[in-house]
Amino acid sequence: MICKVCNEEINEFNILDPIGVNKHSLCNKCFNKFNVILEKNKINGIKSFSIYSYDGLIKELIYQFKGLYDYELKDVFLEYFLDELDFKYFGYTITFAPSSKEDDEKRGYNHVEEIFACLPNKKVKLFLKKDSYKQSEIKYKNRDKIIDHIALIKENIKGIRRVLIVDDVLTSGSTLKACASLLYKEGIRDIQFLTVSKVVENNRNNVVDN
């Protein structure tokens, strides 16, 4: 197999597959360049988990996948944590932070949906952007009003009780909080957040939002 990041052959021992049965998209050398934080936190009392710090190679690859449409990168972000995430979120329905319909159509896929497609959980689209706003265009102090730009697809929540809201980058948490608030209004209380990466405070000025 060829590493999707460095394009070199993967021939080293892989802790995920010691007998070489499965195929992999990321070599150990490239994975070791990721700043793994596995950070547990709470946002408005809701459990939140972020795998990487949004910097260095992870930041470059998210942009390459999301902004430059490099679809081949879709599996590299979660590959090393599939078993842990499968166990941690067993029984949760995955839904996605809303993305711009125009951006999805332009790239030909929803980047968040593709990143988390590797998890076995049931997946349902519950949120839509009402307009084409970008979070980076909203002043930080006004981001609590993001809920005004998001709609809940109510017909899709039937039978759902445990929801995992996923996204690529956690910045202020405003979008996640808005999504959770809409679910609370429908009586759903068991909610958690999972993001590929999280922006640390000194990197906040270099964020590319949805």
Side-chain angles (χ1 to χ4, degrees), residues 138 141-150 174 178:
I138 300 176
K141 64 180 180 179
N142 295 326
R143 288 189 176 182
D144 59 336
K145 296 182 180 180
I146 283 179
I147 194 171
D148 297 332
H149 301 273
I150 299 174
S174 299

Side-chain angles (χ1 to χ4, degrees), residues 122 126 153-161 188:
K122 176 182 177 181
L126 295 180
I153 308 174
K154 293 187 178 182
E155 59 267 28
N156 288 353
I157 67 174
K158 185 177 180 180
I160 295 176
R161 292 293 177 266
I188 297 177

Side-chain angles (χ1 to χ4, degrees), residues 1-24:
M1 291 295 295
I2 302 298
C3 176
K4 299 294 185 180
V5 176
C6 66
N7 295 316
E8 295 184 3
E9 186 176 358
I10 302 175
N11 52 23
E12 74 270 18
F13 173 81
N14 193 306
I15 59 173
L16 297 178
D17 181 24
I19 60 176
V21 175
N22 299 314
K23 297 179 179 179
H24 298 284

Side-chain angles (χ1 to χ4, degrees), residues 36-61:
V36 179
I37 57 174
L38 301 180
E39 182 174 307
K40 298 177 182 179
N41 211 327
K42 285 191 176 182
I43 300 174
N44 277 12
I46 298 174
K47 290 181 179 179
S48 176
F49 186 63
S50 300
I51 300 173
Y52 308 106
S53 174
Y54 182 64
D55 54 30
L57 185 57
I58 276 292
K59 181 177 179 180
E60 293 176 14
L61 293 179

Side-chain angles (χ1 to χ4, degrees), residues 83-153:
D83 289 341
E84 178 181 349
L85 296 175
D86 185 14
F87 177 79
K88 184 176 179 66
Y89 298 111
F90 179 81
Y92 279 81
T93 295
I94 288 177
T95 194
F96 315 96
S99 180
S100 165
K101 180 179 178 181
E102 292 78 7
D103 288 345
D104 289 349
E105 290 177 347
K106 187 175 181 180
R107 74 171 65 94
Y109 56 88
N110 179 291
H111 63 291
V112 178
E113 292 180 16
E114 293 300 326
I115 289 174
F116 289 92
C118 56
L119 295 180
N121 306 60
K122 176 182 177 181
K123 301 173 183 69
V124 178
K125 188 171 184 178
L126 295 180
F127 305 106
L128 293 173
K129 280 188 175 182
K130 294 180 182 179
D131 48 58
S132 59
Y133 83 93
K134 289 185 179 294
Q135 186 169 294
S136 55
E137 296 172 353
I138 300 176
K139 291 183 178 180
Y140 195 79
K141 64 180 180 179
N142 295 326
R143 288 189 176 182
D144 59 336
K145 296 182 180 180
I146 283 179
I147 194 171
D148 297 332
H149 301 273
I150 299 174
L152 176 67
I153 308 174

Side-chain angles (χ1 to χ4, degrees), residues 27-41:
C27 69
N28 291 342
K29 181 179 178 180
C30 287
F31 174 73
N32 288 334
K33 294 179 182 178
F34 296 167
N35 187 358
V36 179
I37 57 174
L38 301 180
E39 182 174 307
K40 298 177 182 179
N41 211 327

